[in-house]
């Protein structure tokens, strides 16, 4: 059965979508069959994969609200082993539409169930909020990967996220675990980056990945070309970082199976 990982943090600008796109691509390059689901109304993962979000018939919106089978919304990408369920601007009003639906917190879990066995990993890019779309994602997931930006306010609000995780465990999904914490926009020249890393390790212990994602211009450029970093510039620091993160996740996954 495929492992479902939510990539979530209610703070915006922490590298959540960057991580979703590039980690998906690197896992696929390792010949793991991967499905990336974009459940963020901004649809940045969708455009970051080179998919035109303005001309899509079926998206995650139709899956959640109109109960279109998720298979009908899956699109190929330019990377072998990697497929995607795109988002669209139609998702903007979905939180309101979900409120009155029966089993509203489990819509995504129900949609994913028929296709879980077809993938090694299903990664889900969430909105920068703790609303119904994120709750749906946490209910459907085995674990949550938390990107933390190496900036002053980075650890603010984490207690709120952890409280939400605990509430989901108690009421909707007792198996939900923290997959890991990845430090993003790391600058080794700055004491602040080192301080945030130290605080994160105090807070999360061994859950913090050894791999950090350094500040890298090429990572910032790649979405505008609709390409993951390994297609845009395989020799860049950003590509190396995400390849190493994928290796670390795969190693951990193999060790946990033993």
């Amino acid at each position: 059965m495929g492992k479902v990982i939510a990539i979530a943090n209610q703070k915006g600008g922490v590298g959540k979508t960057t991580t979703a796109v590039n980690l998906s691509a690197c896992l696929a390059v390792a010949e793991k069959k991967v499905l990336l689901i974009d459940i963020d109304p901004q649809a940045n993962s969708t455009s970051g994969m080179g998919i035109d979000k303005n001309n899509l018939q079926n998206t995650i919106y139709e899956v959640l609200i109109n109960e279109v089978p998720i298979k009908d919304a899956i699109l190929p990408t330019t990377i072998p082993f990697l497929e995607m369920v795109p988002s669209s601007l139609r998702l903007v009003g979905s939180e309101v539409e979900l409120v009155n639906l029966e089993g509203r917190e489990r819509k995504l879990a129900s949609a994913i169930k028929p296709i879980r066995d077809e993938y090694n990993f299903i990664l889900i890019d969430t909105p920068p909020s703790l609303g119904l779309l994120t709750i749906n994602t946490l209910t459907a997931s085995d674990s949550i990967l938390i990107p933390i930006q190496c900036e002053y306010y980075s650890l603010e609000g984490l207690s709120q996220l952890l409280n939400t995780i605990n509430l989901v465990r108690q009421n909707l999904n007792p198996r939900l675990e923290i997959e890991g914490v990845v430090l993003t926009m790391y600058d080794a020249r700055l004491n602040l980056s080192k301080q945030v890393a130290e605080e994160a390790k105090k807070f999360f212990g061994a859950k913090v990945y050894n791999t950090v994602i350094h500040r890298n211009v090429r990572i910032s450029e790649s979405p505008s070309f609709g390409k993951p970093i390994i297609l845009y510039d395989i020799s860049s620091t950003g590509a190396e970082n995400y390849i190493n993160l994928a290796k670390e996740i795969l190693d951990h996954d193999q060790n946990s199976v033993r």
Side-chain angles (χ1 to χ4, degrees):
M1 181 179 286
K3 187 172 193 177
V4 183
I5 303 175
I7 300 176
N9 189 330
Q10 79 272 24
K11 284 182 73 68
V14 299
K16 184 173 50 59
T17 295
T18 302
T19 297
V21 168
N22 291 303
L23 179 57
S24 297
C26 290
L27 289 170
V29 167
E31 298 190 351
K32 301 298 178 183
K33 193 161 185 201
V34 182
L35 179 67
L36 174 60
I37 299 176
D38 188 356
I39 201 169
D40 185 346
Q42 296 174 85
N44 289 334
S45 279
T46 301
S47 57
M49 279 293 180
I51 295 170
D52 183 357
K53 58 189 175 186
N54 297 310
N55 295 301
L56 297 169
Q57 182 176 355
N58 288 323
T59 68
I60 194 63
Y61 172 84
E62 282 72 29
V63 172
L64 294 175
I65 304 301
N66 299 335
E67 298 189 353
V68 167
I70 198 166
K71 279 191 173 183
D72 293 347
I74 293 173
L75 298 176
T77 71
T78 53
I79 298 177
F81 295 97
L82 176 58
E83 295 178 323
M84 178 164 206
V85 176
S87 182
S88 77
L89 295 176
R90 295 191 290 278
L91 201 60
V92 169
S94 62
E95 300 253 352
V96 176
E97 294 176 83
L98 281 167
V99 165
N100 295 318
L101 297 181
E102 187 177 347
R104 60 191 180 188
E105 298 93 351
R106 300 184 185 277
K107 289 292 181 184
L108 185 59
S110 298
I112 288 173
K113 192 175 180 181
I115 53 117
R116 275 187 72 134
D117 291 346
E118 297 178 22
Y119 298 92
N120 299 113
F121 292 95
I122 297 175
L123 271 57
I124 309 172
D125 184 20
T126 61
S129 69
L130 296 175
L132 267 174
L133 292 174
T134 299
I135 297 298
N136 255 274
T137 303
L138 297 180
T139 302
S141 298
D142 299 303
S143 59
I144 173 172
L145 192 158
I146 307 170
I148 295 179
Q149 183 184 10
C150 290
E151 296 288 354
Y152 185 72
Y153 293 112
S154 60
L155 299 177
E156 267 195 4
L158 275 180
S159 57
Q160 187 183 0
L161 176 61
L162 294 176
N163 185 51
T164 300
I165 292 169
N166 286 331
L167 287 172
V168 169
R169 279 178 182 150
Q170 292 167 21
N171 299 290
L172 296 163
N173 180 10
R175 74 180 185 281
L176 183 65
E177 298 179 352
I178 294 178
E179 181 72 23
V181 174
V182 60
L183 298 168
T184 65
M185 304 176 210
Y186 186 89
D187 189 336
R189 299 168 299 177
L190 300 179
N191 284 332
L192 180 58
S193 286
K194 296 170 185 175
Q195 289 167 5
V196 171
E198 288 170 9
E199 288 299 315
K201 286 170 185 173
K202 284 180 190 173
F203 205 75
F204 291 102
K207 291 290 184 183
V208 180
Y209 292 113
N210 294 321
T211 303
V212 297
I213 310 301
H214 291 84
R215 280 197 179 278
N216 183 249
V217 173
R218 306 299 272 173
I219 287 183
S220 302
E221 292 173 351
S222 60
S224 63
F225 291 87
K227 293 180 178 181
I229 188 63
I230 56 169
L231 292 186
Y232 181 64
D233 187 351
I234 187 66
S235 64
S236 66
T237 299
E240 182 184 353
N241 291 163
Y242 276 108
I243 289 167
N244 288 337
L245 179 62
K247 285 179 183 174
E248 200 169 340
I249 288 170
L250 289 171
D251 288 345
H252 177 265
D253 201 51
Q254 287 171 356
N255 290 335
S256 64
V257 170
R258 287 172 190 164

